[in-house]
Amino acid sequence: MAGVREWLSGRGRPPGPFRPEFWRSPLRGPWLTSVFGLVLLVGLPIVALTGLVSYAAYNPGLPGNDMTPSKGLLGFYLFDWPTSPVWLYRLTQGTHVILGLTLVPILLAKLWSVIPKLFAWPPFRSPAQLLERVSLVLLVGGAVFEFVTGILNIQLFYVFPFSFYPAHLYGAWVFLAALVVHVALKLPRLVTALRSRGFRREMRTGLRDTRPEPPDPDDLVAAAPGPPSMSRRGLLAFVGGGSLTVLGLSVGQTMDGPIRSTALLAPHGRDYGPGPNDFQVNKTAASVGVTAAQAGPGWRLTLLGARQVLLTRQELLDLPLHTYRLPIACVEGWSTEQEWTGVRLADLARLCGVAEPGGVQARSMQQAGFFNQVSLSAGQVADHRSLLALRVNGADLSLDHGFPARIMVPNAPGVHNTKWVRELDFRVPS
Ligand SMILES: Nc1nc2c(c(=O)[nH]1)N[C@H]1C(S)=C(S)[C@@H](COP(=O)(O)O)O[C@H]1N2
Ligand SMILES: [Mo]
């Protein structure tokens, strides 16, 4: 017990990782930490901003779309999501996911480089230092939380006891706030540390000439460093190589053509059978309980407007049809562009007596689940490329791609392209 009292008074230290001699890598030091820090300083804000953009793309202001109804002030920046350019969400969300994955090895390396600080003893020496450590808990905790929830979500492991959307949004703001504090406190040291050693010279220094950095005020450099088993250049190559491997195995899922088959890390596999419908499926009909019988000859599309109109699929095919190349860009980062044919949403609005639709609510035959309905804005309905699609690449939609009919809106997040539509409700005030 005497020991514990001594530790708490700051005179002694608990054993193990709380002792400086425990951490022996001669590579840890402010320069190394700053190299990883600089990469994250450029990359993480891009991941955070594209993530916030993704939330805006959901048009959470429209009824039924908001997955984080209690967002409070955090939605201050939301704006009406545009339909042009058609590739914008494909680019922002692809960047969010692929860059996020690519930064994982860098983030881990950065955490490794500062891990002795986690065990600093005494836990704090002054109120200012206590505040700094609390901000670090929020920074590291926020980053780890965002990466873990994001990665689990793209791999469809819905294992959290909370909803992904609000959690990922709240986590992003906690992380961003902590990042601002951290950068304000550490930027001068980052600059000094990076200037303390030339990057090129470090790249020419092999294992034999690898020495610890000089002792630093932050105690990143080991007190009693062991002999190096790797040069700094070797460590940077290892971490950078890991990053590039992740990038190389995932970036293909944002592209079409042969390069797509390189995306070994893409979720949902890569083979969807032969023919025009051979492209990525998010949820199959079977997985959400939509049957071929429901989609058969008995299916009717209901239009709700100034009057109610029922249409068979043949009646829809007899209306003016239009064909556009439009992407499906999933929140999970994968995307693909296909050629869709269908009836303009604006034409369907007119058919049920709504000349200037204030928007539409599309409802699916799918009974349960988050994605069985969507609200689209007036601007989205008015775009001439916004379709109730019936065909893709010249063939009827397959059941898994939404037969008999699905929404296709330019630049909308994939989840808004509702499949197996049964009802379009244009009774939305403009
Ligand atoms: N009814 C319904 N529509 C849906 C979904 C769904 O689960 N149910 N998934 C959405 C999501 S998340 C995406 S990315 C696209 C994917 O379309 P695809 O499976 O045809 O590629 O469909 C959207 N439409
Ligand atoms: Mo999606």
Side-chain angles (χ1 to χ4, degrees):
M1 277 325 274
V4 174
R5 215 172 307 130
E6 279 211 334
W7 302 341
L8 291 179
S9 71
R11 265 171 288 145
R13 282 170 186 266
F18 294 94
R19 303 267 160 99
E21 317 83 70
F22 182 88
W23 303 100
R24 295 174 51 88
S25 170
L27 298 187
R28 282 199 187 88
W31 182 83
L32 188 77
T33 294
S34 298
V35 170
F36 296 137
L38 181 62
V39 178
L40 294 176
L41 183 60
V42 173
L44 287 180
I46 297 176
V47 176
L49 289 180
T50 49
L52 294 177
V53 163
S54 177
Y55 183 56
Y58 275 65
N59 273 339
L62 302 181
N65 283 1
D66 197 350
M67 313 218 200
T68 63
S70 52
K71 63 183 174 292
L73 293 176
L74 298 185
F76 70 91
Y77 67 94
L78 295 175
F79 52 94
D80 196 16
W81 186 247
T83 50
S84 289
V86 293
W87 43 260
L88 182 64
Y89 185 76
R90 190 177 189 189
L91 177 71
T92 59
Q93 194 57 16
T95 303
H96 180 70
V97 171
I98 306 298
L99 183 56
L101 290 172
T102 302
L103 290 177
V104 168
I106 317 274
L107 181 73
L108 294 177
K110 170 89 175 6
L111 293 177
W112 171 84
S113 77
V114 296
I115 199 151
K117 306 270 297 172
L118 192 65
F119 301 93
W121 200 266
F124 60 94
R125 290 194 185 89
S126 65
Q129 210 195 7
L130 176 67
L131 266 181
E132 191 196 326
R133 294 204 81 189
V134 170
S135 83
L136 284 180
V137 169
L138 296 178
L139 181 75
V140 175
V144 170
F145 181 82
E146 290 299 275
F147 275 85
V148 169
T149 52
I151 290 168
L152 289 181
N153 192 59
I154 60 182
Q155 298 300 336
L156 286 188
F157 295 138
Y158 292 114
V159 291
F160 341 105
F162 45 76
S163 165
F164 169 75
Y165 293 88
H168 205 64
L169 181 70
Y170 296 156
W173 282 110
V174 169
F175 168 75
L176 274 174
L179 182 67
V180 167
V181 172
H182 187 65
V183 171
L185 291 174
K186 297 289 167 129
L187 194 59
R189 290 218 202 138
L190 177 121
V191 174
T192 324
L194 287 177
R195 289 214 177 117
S196 71
R197 303 173 94 77
F199 187 79
R200 292 229 199 100
R201 216 181 79 208
E202 210 57 60
M203 288 300 107
R204 287 194 298 264
T205 307
L207 179 60
R208 240 172 2 122
D209 300 315
T210 297
R211 309 270 177 279
E213 294 183 46
D216 67 312
D218 289 319
D219 293 332
L220 289 173
V221 179
S229 55
M230 197 186 224
S231 63
R232 277 186 200 83
R233 143 181 105 178
L235 179 64
L236 292 180
F238 175 69
V239 174
S243 252
L244 291 178
T245 305
V246 174
L247 174 67
L249 294 184
S250 56
V251 72
Q253 62 181 302
T254 67
M255 299 180 198
D256 291 306
I259 198 168
R260 195 172 185 89
S261 56
T262 60
L264 297 179
L265 293 178
H268 310 304
R270 280 160 298 134
D271 188 17
Y272 308 97
N277 277 277
D278 176 20
F279 58 94
Q280 194 136 352
V281 170
N282 180 286
K283 295 263 178 68
T284 62
S287 75
V288 298
V290 171
T291 64
Q294 279 177 294
W299 176 84
R300 296 288 179 278
L301 175 71
T302 306
L303 301 178
L304 299 174
R307 56 182 176 271
Q308 179 173 328
V309 176
L310 291 187
L311 295 168
T312 64
R313 192 162 190 281
Q314 189 54 52
E315 287 168 328
L316 281 167
L317 284 167
D318 291 339
L319 293 171
L321 297 181
H322 303 269
T323 299
Y324 301 103
R325 286 195 71 80
L326 295 173
I328 289 191
C330 184
V331 67
E332 296 162 6
W334 62 265
S335 55
T336 177
E337 193 178 76
Q338 306 292 336
E339 193 179 85
W340 306 90
T341 300
V343 183
R344 284 181 178 148
L345 294 180
D347 288 350
L348 293 170
R350 262 190 298 279
L351 208 60
C352 62
V354 181
E356 285 186 21
V360 70
Q361 281 193 278
R363 303 184 183 111
S364 171
M365 294 193 283
Q366 177 189 343
Q367 290 290 316
F370 257 135
F371 310 143
N372 63 355
Q373 62 101 39
V374 65
S375 281
L376 299 171
S377 68
Q380 286 174 314
V381 175
D383 192 294
H384 65 282
R385 298 160 298 185
S386 293
L387 301 176
L388 183 70
L390 305 165
R391 300 166 64 82
V392 62
N393 302 324
D396 281 340
L397 293 175
S398 67
L399 187 58
D400 283 341
H401 282 304
F403 186 89
R406 75 177 299 168
I407 299 285
M408 278 310 302
V409 171
N411 194 37
V415 60
H416 282 183
N417 297 318
T418 306
K419 304 195 274 192
W420 315 293
V421 171
R422 68 175 163 82
E423 186 169 271
L424 294 177
D425 187 347
F426 293 98
R427 297 169 305 177
V428 179
S430 43

